[in-house]
Amino acid sequence: MRSLIDIKELSVAEIEALLDRADDIIANPKKYAEVCRGKKLATLFFEPSTRTRLSFEAAMYELGGNVLGFSEAQSSSAAKGESVADTAKTVSCYADIIAMRHPKEGAPLVAAMNASVPVINAGDGGHNHPTQTLTDLLTIRREKGKLSDFTIGFCGDLKFGRTVHSLIAALSRYTGIKVVLISPDELRVPDYVKKDNLDDCGIPYTETTDLMSVLGELDILYMTRVQKERFFSEEEYLRLKDSYILTPEKLRSAKDDLCIMHPLPRVNEIPVAVDSDPRACYFKQVLNGKFVRMALIMMLLEVEA
Ligand code: NCD
């Protein structure tokens, strides 16, 4: 039995297989409509979510399965002081697979060590978010036709942005990738993310505070929200929240085939006026997220079409 806590638990070949499966689900949805009949997914969300939780639930329904769970810690026994380990043991009695989001880094790993069913990390604090990464990889592959030989810029809150950490980890294993890290000094990518991935894999990267000085070089721009809930001081959040706003005017200096990504939710870093730009890919990411989670649920439940 396998869980998915960190994207690096999947080999490159396994990622390719998941993305191939997602492509096949998109092309032939009927083939998959019954494969999880009788199976239950529990979504245990101790932190807010729209896309991740609902796409997991939609994914399980589209596979013919059922869903149970909670969407806030306050409505679970966590509010009475129950541990993550006990919650995981309990839910294992009711569900065949668990997707868990938690504000504490490592909580889904603790759940996986105590559950008797597979556990998927649906985001743990400022740490990791492997299923968003599968979503992002599927989007890049569908837009660019490949997962190699491009320059990707990550912009915004690279310190607390867990989607950034997981995507850097995944892309570090492909060839011809160049990374540009664009953030205020206070929100730079943590050293461990750079060392364990970019440095260890020999991925060339640069760091800058100036989006406009690098925008024209990028094939992919991965924008992020400043993660208000992870700041210790409101004052610091207010000072940094408007660091990067991607306006249509700024995008004039970008490549014609730039792929603009964002895990969403956005606050104001991408104005609505950009949505009609053909280079905007963030709502495609939303849709892809459901298909890749269908592929992942099938893999972890070991069901075939
Ligand atoms: C992200 C997350 O929860 O980390 N959202 C998502 O899952 N699509 C990004 C964010 O909250 O900024």
Side-chain angles (χ1 to χ4, degrees):
M1 188 194 75
R2 273 178 87 173
S3 288
L4 179 64
I5 304 302
D6 186 310
I7 192 71
K8 286 204 265 186
E9 293 161 15
L10 295 171
S11 68
V12 169
E14 285 172 326
I15 288 178
E16 299 289 318
L18 280 169
L19 303 187
D20 289 348
R21 171 53 62 77
D23 279 336
D24 192 54
I25 294 171
I26 293 168
N28 307 294
K30 286 210 183 96
K31 200 167 118 188
Y32 296 90
E34 298 288 336
V35 295
C36 286
R37 178 68 59 210
K39 304 273 188 198
K40 282 170 282 174
L41 164 77
T43 50
L44 311 184
F45 277 61
F46 297 81
E47 244 193 7
S49 169
T50 297
R51 275 151 293 272
T52 305
R53 186 172 62 84
L54 296 184
S55 68
F56 263 115
E57 297 189 355
M60 194 51 163
Y61 285 125
E62 290 196 21
L63 294 169
N66 288 300
V67 173
L68 65 165
F70 52 82
S71 56
E72 49 182 338
Q74 277 313 310
S75 66
S76 77
S77 283
K80 300 178 183 169
E82 185 164 61
S83 67
V84 165
D86 283 1
T87 302
K89 283 184 189 150
T90 302
V91 177
S92 298
C93 301
Y94 311 137
D96 301 286
I97 185 164
I98 294 171
M100 176 184 279
R101 168 170 290 189
H102 202 285
K104 282 214 182 95
E105 288 81 1
L109 175 63
V110 171
M113 288 161 62
N114 288 279
S116 54
V117 300
V119 175
I120 302 170
N121 178 4
D124 63 327
H127 190 217
N128 275 328
H129 195 343
T131 64
Q132 181 65 42
T133 297
L134 293 172
T135 302
D136 299 338
L137 295 174
L138 180 63
T139 306
I140 295 171
R141 205 177 75 164
R142 288 179 73 84
E143 293 301 309
K144 297 279 179 206
K146 58 186 182 182
L147 286 172
S148 58
D149 304 301
F150 54 73
T151 300
I152 179 166
F154 292 91
C155 178
D157 185 346
L158 310 189
K159 179 179 180 187
F160 296 115
R162 56 194 173 196
T163 65
V164 170
H165 306 161
S166 291
L167 185 53
I168 288 175
L171 287 177
S172 293
R173 299 184 301 179
Y174 290 87
T175 55
I177 306 286
K178 287 191 199 143
V179 171
V180 184
L181 303 170
I182 309 146
S183 74
D185 283 332
E186 296 86 341
L187 298 179
R188 284 163 66 166
V189 173
D191 286 341
Y192 82 89
V193 175
K194 286 186 272 190
K195 197 198 150 295
D196 294 354
N197 302 293
L198 301 171
D199 292 337
D200 280 5
C201 298
I203 300 288
Y205 69 93
T206 52
E207 292 188 274
T208 178
T209 55
D210 182 7
L211 172 61
M212 291 316 289
S213 69
V214 294
L215 184 56
E217 299 163 26
L218 306 178
D219 302 300
I220 299 168
L221 172 59
Y222 195 96
M223 294 292 292
T224 61
R225 165 181 80 90
V226 177
Q227 307 271 304
K228 182 178 184 189
E229 67 276 32
R230 312 213 192 279
F231 276 74
F232 292 111
S233 98
E234 169 92 7
E235 195 191 339
E236 173 141 276
Y237 168 72
L238 291 174
R239 189 163 57 74
L240 295 171
K241 74 180 178 54
D242 296 330
S243 297
Y244 303 100
I245 297 184
L246 187 68
T247 58
E249 295 69 46
K250 287 184 186 161
L251 280 165
R252 280 197 209 118
S253 60
K255 288 188 183 177
D256 289 341
D257 64 349
L258 174 72
C259 177
I260 306 166
M261 299 177 70
H262 192 306
L264 302 179
R266 65 176 153 185
V267 184
N268 60 350
E269 58 280 0
I270 303 184
V272 175
V274 175
D275 296 1
S276 54
D277 188 314
R279 295 171 291 184
C281 293
Y282 29 94
F283 287 106
K284 293 182 187 169
Q285 280 168 273
V286 174
L287 185 58
N288 288 335
K290 180 182 69 178
F291 298 118
V292 88
R293 288 182 175 101
M294 290 170 76
L296 179 65
I297 290 169
M298 286 183 66
M299 177 188 163
L300 297 180
L301 287 179
E302 299 178 14
V303 298
E304 272 306 320

